[in-house]
Amino acid sequence: MAMHGDTEGSFFIWHSVPAVVVGRNQSTDPLLNLDFCRRHGIGIYRRKSSGEQFYVEPQNMVLSHVTRSEGDNRLFPQYLNALIAIFQRNGIDALPAHGNDIMMGDRTMCRNASYRTHGSNVVHGQLHYNTNLFQMVGTTTPAHAADLGRGVSDAYRQLVQLKDLVGMSQDAFEHYLANHLCDDVLTL
């Protein structure tokens, strides 16, 4: 879509089989527990944007916003501000942080990245609804680390799981997001 310019703007909410998505320039060896990934059937994929790796699975949402644009840098802040407004309307104290992320206090709600290609802007982010923290932490805990359980409890304290905040099912929340971010909705 970004390469062929067949749209003025599209927003996607999508899911993946369990996988780790690494940034354009990241080396997987020091960052990922490749043996854990193989044992648990967790794929490893590289994206076109830079930034840190992230874990995806059906219980979290990956957001992508693609627009045609020549040198327009407004997309990224517009995307972040739209998401933050939705969270705040639902009583969630969401704020921008670190230039790319959305936080609730000191806990991460949404990690984001962007890139430009063929005259298009592509912004993508990740929301955790009910993520399997054991698998998420296991993918990035070195094989020689002694205590995977501690990593899981640290992740629980640092990560916002939306199921605890939004008062609706994952499917209902995805529809809510789409209806508030888009003029028209198409479900595939």
Side-chain angles (χ1 to χ4, degrees):
M1 180 172 284
M3 289 179 61
H4 302 292
D6 57 357
T7 183
E8 289 299 313
S10 296
F11 180 79
F12 304 90
I13 300 172
W14 53 278
H15 303 269
S16 172
V17 297
V20 178
V21 182
V22 296
R24 176 181 58 220
N25 300 314
Q26 282 188 304
S27 172
T28 57
D29 289 338
L31 298 172
L32 303 180
N33 184 332
L34 300 175
D35 184 51
F36 183 94
C37 291
R38 276 190 287 278
R39 280 194 329 266
H40 293 276
I42 298 169
I44 300 170
Y45 302 97
R46 186 170 302 280
R47 65 181 185 273
K48 291 188 176 202
S49 62
S50 58
E52 296 180 8
Q53 76 279 357
F54 61 90
Y55 173 76
V56 294
E57 66 178 15
Q59 294 81 13
N60 62 33
M61 298 163 250
V62 182
L63 314 175
S64 297
H65 186 189
V66 181
T67 61
R68 295 286 300 156
S69 175
E70 295 295 331
D72 186 352
N73 295 324
R74 294 175 294 171
L75 177 65
F76 200 76
Q78 288 171 348
Y79 162 86
L80 285 179
N81 290 334
L83 284 175
I84 289 168
I86 287 171
F87 291 129
Q88 290 177 345
R89 270 197 303 272
N90 284 279
I92 300 169
D93 187 24
L95 297 169
H98 315 297
N100 292 350
D101 298 340
I102 299 174
M103 306 286 284
M104 185 180 88
D106 60 351
R107 297 173 67 200
T108 302
M109 289 190 68
C110 187
R111 295 173 58 200
N112 304 280
S114 66
Y115 68 98
R116 292 188 43 73
T117 184
H118 303 284
S120 292
N121 289 311
V122 179
V123 176
H124 55 88
Q126 175 191 32
L127 294 170
H128 295 273
Y129 185 82
N130 188 21
T131 300
N132 180 329
L133 296 178
F134 173 78
Q135 286 197 170
M136 184 186 84
V137 171
T139 62
T140 56
T141 299
H144 63 274
D147 191 2
L148 182 59
R150 180 172 176 216
V152 171
S153 71
D154 287 348
Y156 188 79
R157 284 192 302 278
Q158 296 168 2
L159 185 72
V160 174
Q161 296 263 41
L162 289 172
K163 71 176 176 66
D164 299 330
L165 300 173
V166 296
M168 56 184 97
S169 70
Q170 181 175 347
D171 189 56
F173 184 68
E174 289 173 8
H175 282 87
Y176 179 84
L177 274 177
N179 287 322
H180 286 81
L181 291 171
C182 303
D183 295 329
D184 193 17
V185 176
L186 173 66
T187 303
L188 303 176

